[in-house]
Amino acid sequence: MRIAVSPGSFDPVTLGHLDIIERAAYIYDKVIVGIAKSPVKEPLFSLEERLGMVTDSISGIDNVDVDFFDTLLVEFARKHGATVIVKGLRAISDFEHEFQMAHLNKKLDSRLETVFMMASPEFMFLSSSAVKEIASFGGSVKGLVSDKVAAHLSDKFRKAL
Ligand code: PNS
C-alpha cells in the first residue's frame, strides 16, 4: 500500500490544493492531507476551521483522509506509514524553497521521497495568501476556492470589520 502525505497550512484550502490532492489520490493508494498547525504564520483560520474546510472538500474522494500536525513533517509521515510527500509546484519562485525543504526532509528521513506535481495551468499563480488578500477587499474568489470556502472567507472578513 503506497501512502502519501500532502502537507500545507491550508489557510484556506484552494482549488489548486484540491487539484494536487485529487491527482495524488489517483496515483497513490491513500493520501493523508496534513494540516500544519503553523502558529508562527498566524493563520487567518483556526486549525479547527481549516480541518473543517479540508474535510468538506475531500468528502467525495474515498482514499483521502485529513489530519493535523504540530511536529516535523517527517514524523507526521512516519505516523501515517507514508513513504511519499506530495507537493504542488507552481511558478519558478516556489522552486528554491521547495528544493530546500525536500533536501532537508530527505536528510531527516532518507526513506521519505518528495514528489512534485506541476500545478495545473489555471492554478499556476493561485495561493492562499492571494485569495485572502482578494477576499479582504471584498473581491470575488470564484474559481479560486470552493463556494463553501468563499463563504467562510466573506464571513471572516465581515466579522473583522
Ligand atoms: O502551505 P505551507 O505553509 O507552504 O506549508 C509548509 C509546510 C507546513 C509543508 C512546512 O512548513 C512544513 O513541513 N512544516 C513542518 C515542520 C517541518 O517539518 N520543518 C522542516 C522541513 S524543512
Side-chain angles (χ1 to χ4, degrees):
M1 176 122 156
R2 280 266 175 229
I3 304 173
V5 291
S6 177
S9 300
F10 301 99
D11 184 41
V13 60
T14 68
L15 296 188
H17 290 129
L18 292 174
D19 176 52
I20 299 292
I21 293 165
E22 277 170 20
R23 286 160 57 197
Y26 185 72
I27 297 174
Y28 298 103
D29 298 311
K30 190 164 197 85
V31 176
I32 313 291
V33 180
I35 304 187
K37 223 172 159 189
S38 305
V40 179
K41 292 189 177 173
E42 297 186 5
L44 174 67
F45 291 101
S46 68
L47 180 62
E48 289 69 28
E49 289 171 320
R50 288 180 281 147
L51 267 166
M53 287 185 277
V54 171
T55 303
D56 198 61
S57 303
I58 60 161
S59 63
I61 325 173
D62 284 349
N63 60 335
V64 179
D65 278 340
V66 61
D67 191 8
F68 72 93
F69 66 106
D70 196 13
T71 59
L72 283 174
L73 175 58
V74 293
E75 285 172 26
F76 178 75
R78 273 199 292 263
K79 175 183 148 191
H80 285 281
T83 50
V84 179
I85 298 167
V86 175
K87 295 294 247 358
L89 208 53
R90 296 166 300 185
I92 297 165
S93 51
D94 272 352
F95 186 78
E96 199 169 328
H97 182 57
E98 293 296 345
F99 194 65
Q100 181 191 29
M101 283 202 288
H103 276 282
L104 289 173
N105 283 327
K106 189 84 183 161
K107 188 115 186 108
L108 291 167
D109 189 336
S110 60
R111 289 163 308 170
L112 205 53
E113 255 340 301
T114 300
V115 170
F116 291 104
M117 277 187 182
M118 295 298 286
S120 295
E122 64 270 39
F123 303 128
M124 200 54 110
F125 295 98
L126 173 58
S127 68
S128 296
S129 321
V131 161
K132 283 182 280 191
E133 185 162 329
I134 294 168
S136 73
F137 288 108
S140 169
V141 289
K142 201 171 167 50
L144 306 179
V145 295
S146 70
D147 290 346
K148 280 199 175 164
V149 171
H152 277 287
L153 279 161
S154 57
D155 204 40
K156 192 64 105 178
F157 287 112
R158 203 176 323 110
K159 277 186 187 146
L161 285 177

